[in-house]
């Protein structure tokens, strides 16, 4: 996985992945785990994003779907609405960086 700079690392705490099945299917310990940091009072596990990519190939469309799913239930404060787009983009980029 490519390294993230310190700004991105604040938002994306984890995007662990193992590659198998033609080097593009995500299988982190049987199921993917995605956790976002600095978007909630404590790290936020993006369960909907995990479900969106479980057992699917990592490609542009599935990474985009995972990013959307990661923020589907977001209820940002007025001053932090910008973090929704950042989180969505970082989830997508992190997944695409694994292939």
């Amino acid at each position: 996985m490519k390294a993230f700079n310190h700004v991105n690392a604040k938002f994306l705490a984890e995007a662990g992945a193992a590659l198998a099945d033609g080097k593009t299917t995500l299988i982190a310990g049987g199921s993917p785990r995605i956790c976002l940091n600095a978007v909630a009072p404590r790290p936020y596990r993006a369960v909907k994003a995990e479900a969106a990519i479980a057992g699917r190939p990592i490609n542009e469309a599935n990474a985009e779907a995972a990013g959307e799913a990661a923020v589907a239930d977001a209820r940002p404060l007025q001053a932090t609405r910008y973090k929704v787009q950042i989180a969505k983009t970082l989830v997508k980029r992190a997944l695409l960086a694994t292939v």
Side-chain angles (χ1 to χ4, degrees):
M1 181 182 292
K2 294 179 184 176
F4 296 99
N5 66 35
H6 69 283
V7 174
N8 293 347
K10 287 183 2 183
F11 292 99
L12 191 63
E14 178 184 344
L19 302 177
D21 298 20
K23 300 182 173 99
T24 59
T25 302
L26 186 72
I27 56 151
S31 61
R33 295 287 183 260
I34 297 175
C35 183
L36 301 174
N37 197 12
V39 296
R42 65 185 94 162
Y44 170 75
R45 185 168 163 205
V47 177
K48 288 184 179 182
E50 295 169 358
I53 59 170
R56 293 184 173 87
I58 300 173
N59 57 35
E60 185 82 20
N62 290 337
E64 179 83 25
E68 291 286 340
V71 298
D73 295 331
R75 293 178 292 146
L77 301 173
Q78 180 70 26
T80 59
R81 288 181 187 215
Y82 68 95
K83 289 185 180 184
V84 174
Q85 183 61 44
I86 291 172
K88 183 173 22 174
T89 301
L90 288 177
V91 167
K92 177 181 174 182
R93 287 181 184 176
L95 291 171
L96 292 174
T98 65
V99 291

